Amino acid sequence: MTTTGEDHTAALTGPWWWGRWRSAVLDGSLALVSSVECAIEGFPFADAAGIPVPAGMLFGAVAGSVLLFRRRWPIAVVLVSIAITPAQMGFLMGLVGLYTLSASELPRRIIGALAGMSMVGMLIVTYVRAHQGMVRGDVALGDWFVPFVSITTSLGMTAPPLLLGLYVGARRRLMESLRERADSLERELQLLAERAEERAEWARNEERTRIAREMHDVVAHRVSLMVVHAAALQAVARKDPEKAVKNASLVGDMGRQALTELREMLGVLRTKEGVVRGAGASSASSVPLAAVGAAAAAAAAASRAVDDESGDGPCIDDLDELVGQSAAAGMVVDLSVEGDPRAYAAVVEQTAYRVVQEALTNVHKHAAGAKTRVRLAHRGAEIAMQVENGAPPEPGAASDARLPSGGNGLLGMKERVVGLGGVFVSGPTDAGGFRVSAVIPAEG
């Protein structure tokens, strides 16, 4: 596995200017070999220059040790190798110096100029040495030999390290570019994973809110009617047994309806919970791209769970039965419908039903015995509903059944309507009653 980004930076633990200890050991070994080579070549140089042999060998050893700084100052190494070319020493330093120079990040004009200087210096020295050999009679060949040897030697000592260094430098820059792109991609994937997780968390919160709202609407209305009927049953049990039996039957029907709706809702919740958990289960064994996919899948599944409403829920046609149940519980309620009824999206019809249901539940809780009017209007691009009740006949009537109130009904209605792009308004009336109004776009 290749290291990228911070891992690559942390791997640079060598001494001084070396990135790794291995590089320092390699440069030290090359400098040692170059010093030995130049020291050996300093023996004939001292004899030809007329200086003491130890001085010539010391000069060669010092000059060859410059190769130790090839990564830090490649230009200086090449210049030193060019300077000692006339003394016929530093061949290893020249090769390695040119390679290091061409593989560096220096401008191409500087690399080309120094490589040209090195080749010209090698060409001149080789030409002079070969010509001197022919003059002394050491080599007995034609006049073509001196130029051929000079050109071949200069090219052989310059072109291979230069081309190899250019190739290695280009490859190194390519790898660095790929490493940077990999770092950038890794950061983007991490950001995508974080955003997907945030979206999934938001979708889960929305789903929890929707579940709480649905549970409230289903349970509150049915149970409120059951409590009202139970209170009436308690009041008439001895006076009117026939009416008591009727109220008991209504309580049983309400309980069965509530249990049916709760059972359907729990079945849907178990299915959706399995989808969300299944989408997130694969994230435990895959990183980081699969983690992004798993988080995105979980977010999508949770979002679908928020957006999709079951088509088997209540609809507008069930409002007559809903109003009839409230009337059977003793409420004086009237339902009026304006416009031509038509089919709407399931979520629109369910929302309209829940608004009316919750409004009637609030009347049972807070204004028992008050006259209530339910209005439903079918318009061209929207459906409107209004539930308005008058003041309760007795100030303490609302508390006879002792119905608890959590204060979430109006909030849940508003969330439903606004979530579909509608408008919701509620508040007390001048007559001492309460009004709930909602307008929902027909398309939802």
Side-chain angles (χ1 to χ4, degrees):
M1 181 180 293
T2 57
T3 58
T4 59
E6 297 179 356
D7 294 336
H8 177 73
T9 303
L12 304 180
T13 57
W16 296 336
W17 58 83
W18 287 285
R20 292 172 295 182
W21 278 99
R22 184 177 62 182
S23 301
V25 172
L26 175 62
D27 289 355
S29 301
L30 290 174
L32 179 61
V33 174
S34 178
S35 297
V36 173
E37 176 208 353
C38 293
I40 295 173
E41 292 167 346
F43 182 80
F45 167 71
D47 185 48
I51 60 175
V53 173
M57 297 182 67
L58 180 61
F59 170 76
V62 173
S65 64
V66 175
L67 192 58
L68 183 66
F69 308 97
R70 69 183 186 95
R71 298 178 191 267
R72 184 71 170 178
W73 298 295
I75 296 179
V77 174
V78 174
L79 290 176
V80 170
S81 68
I82 294 173
I84 63 176
T85 299
Q88 290 188 320
M89 64 174 59
F91 295 104
L92 177 62
M93 183 168 57
L95 293 173
V96 177
L98 277 178
Y99 163 78
T100 306
L101 177 71
S102 57
S104 65
E105 301 292 335
L106 292 172
R108 291 290 180 263
R109 62 178 182 273
I110 297 178
I111 296 175
L114 291 175
M117 292 171 58
S118 179
M119 185 179 66
V120 170
M122 182 63 65
L123 177 66
I124 294 174
V125 171
T126 306
Y127 183 86
V128 171
R129 294 295 184 181
H131 186 268
Q132 290 177 352
M134 291 191 65
V135 170
R136 291 194 303 265
D138 297 339
V139 181
L141 294 174
D143 296 337
W144 58 269
F145 178 74
V146 174
F148 174 77
V149 170
S150 302
I151 295 174
T152 302
T153 303
S154 60
L155 287 177
M157 294 292 293
T158 305
L162 178 66
L163 295 177
L164 180 61
L166 291 175
Y167 166 75
V168 172
R171 184 176 180 275
R172 182 184 300 128
R173 286 186 289 273
L174 175 62
M175 294 301 296
E176 291 177 354
S177 175
L178 293 177
R179 186 179 295 112
E180 291 177 357
R181 293 178 60 184
D183 292 341
S184 176
L185 180 60
E186 185 177 356
R187 288 191 295 269
E188 291 178 1
L189 289 176
Q190 184 177 3
L191 181 61
L192 287 175
E194 293 175 354
R195 289 181 177 177
E197 182 62 27
E198 290 176 359
R199 176 175 171 79
E201 182 63 26
W202 171 85
R204 286 192 291 268
N205 291 334
E206 289 293 319
E207 178 68 359
R208 284 193 289 268
T209 303
R210 191 191 71 83
I211 292 171
R213 184 169 58 242
E214 194 74 18
M215 294 286 288
H216 176 273
D217 291 342
V218 170
V219 174
H221 180 75
R222 303 293 183 190
V223 174
S224 296
L225 291 180
M226 291 172 62
V227 173
V228 172
H229 282 294
L233 177 62
Q234 184 179 6
V236 303
R238 296 180 180 180
K239 298 179 181 180
D240 191 349
E242 184 177 350
K243 188 175 181 179
V245 171
K246 183 179 178 181
N247 286 342
S249 177
L250 289 175
V251 171
D253 292 340
M254 294 294 176
R256 282 187 289 271
Q257 291 176 6
L259 288 176
T260 300
E261 293 187 11
L262 286 174
R263 188 179 297 111
E264 292 176 354
M265 184 182 301
L266 292 176
V268 172
L269 290 179
R270 289 193 184 98
T271 302
K272 292 178 179 179
E273 183 182 4
V275 171
V276 174
R277 287 183 178 178
S282 62
S283 62
S285 59
S286 52
V287 291
L289 184 59
V292 178
S303 297
R304 287 194 298 270
V306 174
D307 296 335
D308 294 343
E309 293 286 349
S310 173
D312 299 331
C315 59
I316 294 178
D317 294 338
D318 298 329
L319 287 178
D320 289 334
E321 181 182 358
L322 179 66
V323 172
Q325 292 174 352
S326 295
M331 178 185 294
V332 181
V333 56
D334 176 58
L335 172 64
S336 62
V337 180
E338 302 174 5
D340 298 328
R342 64 181 188 273
Y344 299 93
V347 64
V348 174
E349 297 204 8
Q350 291 177 24
T351 301
Y353 180 91
R354 295 302 187 193
V355 169
V356 176
Q357 182 188 55
E358 179 60 27
L360 292 177
T361 301
N362 288 340
V363 175
H364 283 293
K365 289 181 179 180
H366 307 292
K371 294 182 179 180
T372 306
R373 184 180 182 185
V374 180
R375 300 176 57 189
L376 184 68
H378 298 277
R379 301 172 183 172
E382 60 191 18
I383 179 174
M385 64 225 64
Q386 184 182 85
V387 179
E388 181 177 353
N389 63 274
E394 300 178 7
S399 60
D400 290 343
R402 297 188 299 274
L403 292 172
S405 176
N408 297 318
L410 294 177
L411 179 61
M413 285 190 282
K414 184 175 181 180
E415 289 177 349
R416 284 180 179 274
V417 175
V418 174
L420 297 178
V423 178
F424 179 84
V425 178
S426 64
T429 62
D430 296 336
F434 200 84
R435 181 187 297 117
V436 172
S437 303
V439 179
I440 306 174
E443 301 297 330

